[in-house]
Amino acid sequence: MRQAEPASNRATAVRAADGEVTTVYDGQEFLRDNRWCLSRRGLLTGAGALGAAGLLSACGAGDSATGGPASAAPGTVLARTGDVPVGGGTVAEGVLVVQPEAGTFKAYDATCPHQGVRVGAPRDGVITCPAHNSTFSPGDGARLGGPATKGLTEIPVRVDGTTIVRA
């Protein structure tokens, strides 16, 4: 059993049953060898700060949507022509394959030039980066708006029967 001994305004000495004295300062207890004993509040505050730092780092490059440069080598089948709708597209091997007009297939590196986040297929005639809303034209990959300073990099493709192949 511990008994409190008077100390200063903010510090309290506590004597343990074995006779050793532990100091409590502002509700935080020093261990007997003067190491700091973390309180529940201190632990939760530290964990919260660590979690917040992790969330904030997601605003930069490196999140799960990060694509990196297109990894498809020449000759790689990227998609089937029937899998790419007119006005839409699909991402394969880091390459965005689009069909801006019936029978016309184009491909771009799916990595946004702003911070390296992977862009998605066009919606309503526009390719949009999910990170900061940079927008690009499916017809030529040109930048339409947002923080990106240039358009998407075009990747040469060819249609071989019913497949779209990186040229």
Side-chain angles (χ1 to χ4, degrees), residues 96-133:
L96 171 61
V97 180
V98 297
Q99 187 177 186
E101 302 172 351
T104 302
F105 296 93
K106 296 194 171 214
Y108 306 101
D109 186 332
T111 305
C112 178
H114 175 232
Q115 285 192 336
V117 174
R118 183 157 291 164
V119 299
R123 288 193 181 166
D124 299 323
V126 177
I127 300 166
T128 303
C129 176
H132 299 104
N133 294 320

Side-chain angles (χ1 to χ4, degrees), residues 9-167:
N9 311 6
R10 301 176 71 169
T12 305
V14 178
R15 184 175 306 276
D18 61 5
E20 292 196 38
V21 175
T22 302
T23 304
V24 177
Y25 181 78
D26 277 350
Q28 304 294 311
E29 182 177 324
F30 279 96
L31 296 178
R32 292 186 179 115
D33 63 359
N34 288 332
R35 288 182 296 141
W36 189 255
C37 180
L38 190 60
S39 69
R40 185 179 326 170
R41 179 181 292 171
L43 177 67
L44 293 175
T45 301
L50 184 61
L55 287 173
L56 289 175
S57 70
C59 289
D63 59 10
S64 62
T66 299
S71 60
T76 301
V77 174
L78 299 172
R80 295 188 139 342
T81 55
D83 294 339
V84 183
V86 176
T90 186
V91 177
E93 304 278 338
V95 178
L96 171 61
V97 180
V98 297
Q99 187 177 186
E101 302 172 351
T104 302
F105 296 93
K106 296 194 171 214
Y108 306 101
D109 186 332
T111 305
C112 178
H114 175 232
Q115 285 192 336
V117 174
R118 183 157 291 164
V119 299
R123 288 193 181 166
D124 299 323
V126 177
I127 300 166
T128 303
C129 176
H132 299 104
N133 294 320
S134 290
T135 54
F136 307 93
S137 166
D140 60 3
R143 175 192 171 274
L144 299 175
T149 57
K150 62 181 185 173
L152 298 174
T153 303
E154 188 165 0
I155 293 178
V157 291
R158 61 182 166 78
V159 176
D160 186 11
T162 59
T163 60
I164 303 163
V165 180
R166 181 163 181 178

